[in-house]
Structures are given as C-alpha cells and as structure tokens.
Amino acid sequence: MSAPSLIVPAGGRFMRRLSSSEASKENMSLGPTVVVPPKHLMAPSSANEVAASIEVARHELEDSAAPSTPSTPPETLVTDKYAYAFDIDGVLIRGGKPIPEAIEAMKVLNGANQYGIKVPYIFVTNGGGKTEQERCVQLSQQLQIEVSPGQFICGHTPMREMAERYNTVLVVGGEGEKCRQVAEGYGFKDVVTPGDIIKDNQDTTPFRKLTEEEYRHSRARNFGETEIEAIFVFADSRDWASDQQIILDLLMSKNGRLGTRSETFEEGPPVFFSHNDVVWSASHDLTRIGMGALRVSLEAMFKAVTGKDLKTTAFGKPQIGTFQFATRLLQQWRKDTHSIDSPPDTVYFVGDTPESDIRGTNEFDNCAENNWYSILVRTGVFQEGTKPRFTPRATVDNVLEAVKHGMEREYKKALKASFIDVDGVQGSAIEE
Ligand code: G3P
Ligand code: MG
C-alpha cells in the first residue's frame, strides 16, 4: 500500500492530505513546506528513518505532480499508534437518537480527515439489556457505520465469565425475556426471572400482576426445590418495587431458597450489578437515575430491614477489569481487522460521566502498559459550570471535537518526533 502524504503549510497549523489532484510542484515549493509521510503516525521510527521517508515522500509527490501521472485516489492507511474507545450514552447516543456530531466523528475516524488515515476504535458502554449482536445492529443504523460485536462491550458482557461458577441464577432488568436470552447466550445454565417467581406465587408482589404476555413467557417451576445461587442485575429494572422485593426475599433467605428466612441474614446469594452509574444521560434534559441508584436503594433497604450491611459487586466502568477487558478486545479487533499485532501507544477514551468514564480511564492509565487518555464531552452527564469529580485530560464540546483533539495531538507528537516545530494543538479543547 502506498503511503499518502501529509503537508504542513507555512505557519504550520493546518494539515491536509495531498491527493494527486491537489499536489503540484508550485505549492510544494512555496515557503517552508514540510512533507511528513504518515509512516511517522504508524510506527516508531528513528531520526534516520524519518529523514529517509521524508525524502521518499518528496519524490512521490514530485512524481504525482508530473503531467503524465494518472489521477488515482490515495489509499487510506490504518494507524497502529493510537486508537479510540467510546462510551455510548451521552457521547454518541441520547434517548435512542444519535448526537448530531457522532455521525461525522465516525466518518473522520474512517478516513474522512486531512491526515488520510483510519483510526481503529471500540465501544465500551455500561448500558445493556440486549445481546451484543442486537446492540451492534442498532448502533450501526444509528451511526451509519458497520459496528461489529468484536468492537463492542456492554455492562453485562464481562458477566459471561461468571456463567461457569453458578448453576441457578436470578437475572433482573431489561425488557421482557431479553436479559434471560442474553444470560443463556453467555452460557448460564439455569436462568430464573422475577416473572417466573411472580407466576409461581402472585402474592410475592402485591401491587404487580403479570401481563398476559409476561405470564405466557414466564416459566413455571417448583421454587420449593430451587436454590438460587446468585443474583445478576443485567439491565435497568422496569419495576423497582417488585424487583427489589424479590431480591430482598432472596438476600434474607437460607441459601437462596424462596419462602425461607435466615436467622443471620448472611446466607443469601451474592448480588452483581452490570454497572454502578447512579445517573445517566437519556432523552430528558436532566440526567435520569440508573442502576447505581437501584444498588444504593437496595443496600439501604437491606440495612433498614435487617440492620446489617449488604455488600454487592458492580461490573462495568470504572472497574479496572472492564478496562482490561477493553484492552483485550481492542487488541483482538486491531489484529483481526487491521493485522496490527502490537498494542497502541495511546487509547483515547471519550466519555460523558466523570465517575465512570473519566475515573476508570485515569485509574487504568496509572496501571496500564500504554497510555489511556481521558476526554470528557459536554453532551451528557457532565454539565458545563460544574466541576467534575474526576479530572479529564481534556474537555471538549462533543465527540467530533474529541476525535479531532486526539488526532491533532497525535499529529503534533509525530511532528515533534520528526524534530519539526509547530504551533499548539488546534480546536477548542481545554487540556489539563
Ligand atoms: O444505562 C446505561 C447508562 O448508565 C450508561 O451508558 O454508554 O454512558 O456507559 P454509557
Ligand atoms: Mg455515557
């Protein structure tokens, strides 16, 4: 693949890709123009290699400017130096609709940029409630790109690693039977839902009756002989009162057997939440309460009823495990789709929630082998005029600005590595 070239005109602030139709001997010889081949953006190189590749690029440009050269569009290279990871709600999507700049941001990453490169990216959301495949089909339509499950992690994705550990589990949250299907797809062997429990004994939830459809889909079983070994909250509860009643019954039971009461309240099954976001960014102008709020509520309720503290576990961001999972996913994705076998020097994580996206990225940056650079956007949970509890490396208006910020930063780094001095990173970002 031939390398497209980058040019920094006099003044050095703006860069553009030279196609055969754009490049001419005139504009190449005007002023202190420096040609930087994108090899600098692709791989570590020594000063000798830089000088040599600049020379090669000069010849290529001269050749491409010759009248006899046919006009062929330049090929787009994929950078192996850096990558992006995107949060979804409040960054790319809000209330089921794409944030306007998100579509353009994806185009920029896919080559519609002045550097003539593509940048690999993945998605890391705390949301869930559907299979990864289903979520990717939806995201593909919303963002007008192809999104593969190979580049997607949702809050409950890491829960698949628990499928071997427990036999019978209660799965809570989401629409209808969807989360049961997700759990079974992960390999959970015996999945119970709150609907199954209410179907077995309607008195479980005095104020909730199953709809006809819910009753039909819920599974009949003998709960007198069932021990529920763990509780997984996969997605947001659609009915807090009845879901909490059922979880509380199990937590106070002897070994997860419904209808029993432990004397110590220490014999119930463990509870896992797919994430801990107390609030999130939906279609309402103000943030909405999320799964983290249910967790707080459940812990408080357990304390009020039993007098004991309840310890629960949350997956998702900001857990380091989620970022380790993301690292493995990104590594596999870059290898499978771009034949890149080394980790990126920098991963730009773009998020809207300081407590999960920024905190997780910053903490992972402290222990990861490569750099994780947090970028906070103003389109979601974080609101201008407030001080984020966790400080991002940069704050920008929206995801498009975030993408531009990272790309310009990388270009500036590449220029520095080539001993070429340029002005500061352009754009409206505030870099900490
Ligand atoms: O329920 C989903 C929400 O809490 C956050 O999703 O994409 O912002 O991580 P996201
Ligand atoms: Mg978000």
Side-chain angles (χ1 to χ4, degrees), residues 86-93 124-127 277 279-281 317 349-353 356-357 377 380-381:
F86 293 101
D87 171 58
I88 294 182
D89 290 307
V91 172
L92 300 166
I93 305 291
V124 186
T125 176
N126 273 350
D277 287 346
V279 294
W280 65 298
S281 177
K317 300 167 287 182
F349 196 105
V350 186
D352 70 310
T353 307
S356 53
D357 302 314
V377 292
V381 168

Side-chain angles (χ1 to χ4, degrees), residues 404-431:
K404 285 181 179 169
H405 175 76
M407 292 183 89
E408 287 164 10
R409 186 171 179 269
E410 288 297 319
Y411 185 61
K412 191 181 168 197
K413 270 161 62 179
L415 289 176
K416 267 192 188 161
S418 317
F419 309 111
I420 297 162
D421 201 16
V422 288
D423 291 348
V425 171
Q426 64 184 100
S428 58
I430 302 167
E431 195 167 353

Side-chain angles (χ1 to χ4, degrees), residues 300-312:
M301 201 167 1
F302 187 81
K303 178 88 176 172
V305 174
T306 68
K308 298 222 163 166
D309 288 325
L310 173 69
K311 278 201 170 49
T312 61

Side-chain angles (χ1 to χ4, degrees), residues 106-354:
M106 295 298 118
K107 287 184 183 156
V108 169
L109 290 174
N110 284 305
N113 58 68
Q114 67 264 51
Y115 315 111
I117 57 166
K118 289 184 180 182
V119 189
Y121 53 89
I122 60 168
F123 303 92
V124 186
T125 176
N126 273 350
K130 294 177 178 141
T131 64
E132 284 79 0
Q133 285 84 344
E134 210 177 321
R135 231 13 243 282
C136 287
V137 168
Q138 195 182 18
L139 201 56
S140 302
Q141 287 161 353
Q142 290 164 327
L143 298 179
Q144 300 172 20
I145 49 164
E146 202 180 310
V147 179
S148 155
Q151 60 186 147
F152 183 88
I153 299 175
C154 64
H156 47 65
T157 305
M159 283 179 168
R160 67 168 65 240
E161 293 178 359
M162 311 287 274
E164 283 301 304
R165 196 181 299 180
Y166 300 106
N167 191 41
T168 303
V169 298
L170 175 74
V171 163
V172 178
E175 286 167 19
E177 290 288 293
K178 279 191 187 286
C179 285
R180 179 175 357 230
Q181 289 156 6
V182 174
E184 289 174 346
Y186 286 173
F188 282 97
K189 295 171 279 295
D190 186 20
V191 181
V192 170
T193 66
D196 298 348
I197 293 169
I198 301 171
K199 181 172 182 164
D200 182 60
N201 182 357
Q202 280 208 12
D203 298 333
T204 305
T205 51
F207 305 116
R208 181 181 172 197
K209 299 280 166 280
L210 296 180
T211 63
E212 240 176 65
E213 195 189 353
E214 285 171 337
Y215 191 86
R216 210 174 40 250
H217 288 130
S218 296
R219 297 177 188 171
R221 69 185 293 157
N222 181 357
F223 280 99
E225 290 174 358
T226 303
E227 277 190 8
I228 293 175
E229 295 169 22
I231 300 165
F232 289 90
V233 183
F234 263 54
D236 283 310
S237 166
R238 275 26 178 197
D239 187 331
W240 277 38
S242 58
D243 285 348
Q244 289 196 105
Q245 175 68 67
I246 288 167
I247 296 173
L248 200 61
D249 278 343
L250 285 170
L251 290 173
M252 294 165 70
S253 73
K254 279 182 196 285
N255 306 316
R257 200 176 278 258
L258 284 165
T260 66
R261 274 283 189 264
S262 162
E263 285 96 48
T264 61
F265 301 125
E266 286 169 4
E267 298 168 281
V271 191
F272 300 96
F273 291 86
S274 67
H275 66 83
N276 191 37
D277 287 346
V278 177
V279 294
W280 65 298
S281 177
S283 51
H284 198 281
D285 284 349
L286 303 173
T287 55
R288 302 291 88 188
I289 51 170
M291 195 184 294
L294 180 78
R295 186 186 184 194
V296 171
S297 163
L298 187 72
E299 290 179 355
M301 201 167 1
F302 187 81
K303 178 88 176 172
V305 174
T306 68
K308 298 222 163 166
D309 288 325
L310 173 69
K311 278 201 170 49
T312 61
T313 306
F315 287 78
K317 300 167 287 182
Q319 297 300 316
I320 292 297
T322 299
F323 286 83
Q324 286 164 340
F325 202 106
T327 300
R328 296 201 293 276
L329 187 89
L330 186 59
Q331 186 177 343
Q332 197 62 43
W333 175 248
R334 283 162 37 104
K335 193 172 175 185
D336 293 347
T337 56
H338 306 301
S339 306
I340 301 169
D341 214 0
S342 56
D345 291 348
T346 304
V347 179
Y348 292 92
F349 196 105
V350 186
D352 70 310
T353 307

